Amino acid sequence: MTTSDKNNALQRAMDSASDLPIRAIHVGVDAADQLAAFVDGGPVLVVSDETTRGASASLLTALAGRAITEHVYPADGFDATGVLAEELATVLPDAAWIVGAGSGTVCDLAKYAGHLMSVPVALYGTAASMNGYTSGIAALKVRGLKRTLPCTPAAGVFADPNVLAAAPQRMAAAGLADFLSKCSACADWRAANLLRGETFREDALQFYDGLVERAIDDAPKIGAGDPIATAFLMEALMLSGLSMLMAGSSSPASGGEHLISHYIDMKSALNSTPHDLHGAQVGVATLHCLRLWEQIIALDPSALDIAACADAQLPDKRICKRIEATWGDPVSDEVLDQWAEKSRDRDGIYAELELFQEQHATLAIAVAQDVLPAATVEAAIAAAGGPTEPEALNASIDDYDDALSSARYIRSRFTVLDLAAELLIE
Ligand SMILES: [Zn+2]
């Protein structure tokens, strides 16, 4: 196992979780050589796009002399889709390895093609833009809808700090925001554990120790393209991916803020409206969710009028009508299924709020381990040059506004968006 010397947390994570399927993680200037040595023997399919291929020159040099076949997508304007992943899986049927050289889109396609072919995948990350490099899911558009499909994780993930630092600033800012979303996501996970009895694994969060503080301190350097700070961010994102692998779900890194971003992506797919980088959307939504958490923690549970809250909830029939009107066929069927899994009738909400009232102090202590003041996270994202307001996103402001109230219907995961709605907090 190799990691850079700068972040022993990555080494500790790999050591303490020897059953994780990822065999190598390396962030260092010799990443290209390390990857070339790692993908030992047999034909290699190298996947990139015109932009990330340019950023991967040293990788192609390191692989020179090997039996490689390149598959290069256009510079941009393409999405990772299930169809593209299936096509990719037929490009080199005897491939011994697939190497994905790029960021989210290219690496998700490479991972999923490898999964379909049962061929190991090595990733050469070209931007510290999201936490999916080490995750066991691929975000692919299937029949127009963005899905997070389970897949075999990459066998190895490699990145060169100088390549990462040369990526566009907005990508690093998005990566920082995606990483900081754990502040609200982990709080959501603890609440789901306390109020809904969902499985929570403290050990999946062990990797995060000290990382959030450093990410916030480093934000201006990340925005300025400093290679050491950007390499640290990449390692933090990789640890975030490992926490999801360890938890066996995306809960440690995906709560209500991710639902808001997914809602925007789904609307974008349906209506051909623009969407922004995943992390950019997630960052703005994280600020919203942290503000909700601030209100929830600050409220006086003894003053809570549980009956009034339960009575004020929209009847489920109206919610289902709203879902149908929002999504239409066939998407609404899936959203209705997701919502049905977590919706509660009036008595169920009453009971949940009674439990909340009883457990408020415990919940406040638990989530205090994760939540930071929204203003602190906002300042960090801004210092890295990322958007902090919905108006600054390259996405429909109407979709963003609708997502605040309706994103909670699209997934069965209980998040702060549900709790706030039950408490009539906006
Ligand atoms: Zn994310």
Side-chain angles (χ1 to χ4, degrees), residues 195 306 310 345-357:
L195 299 175
I306 293 177
D345 61 13
R346 194 253 174 219
D347 290 349
I349 289 170
Y350 188 97
E352 184 151 274
L353 292 177
E354 267 189 329
L355 181 62
F356 167 80
Q357 190 174 41

Side-chain angles (χ1 to χ4, degrees), residues 129-132 174 177-179 181 237 240 244 253-254 257-258 261-262 278-279 282:
S129 55
M130 49 96 221
N131 63 6
D178 197 27
F179 176 70
S181 75
L237 288 164
S240 171
M244 294 192 273
S254 173
E257 74 297 322
H258 272 71
S261 177
H262 293 330
H278 168 79
V282 163

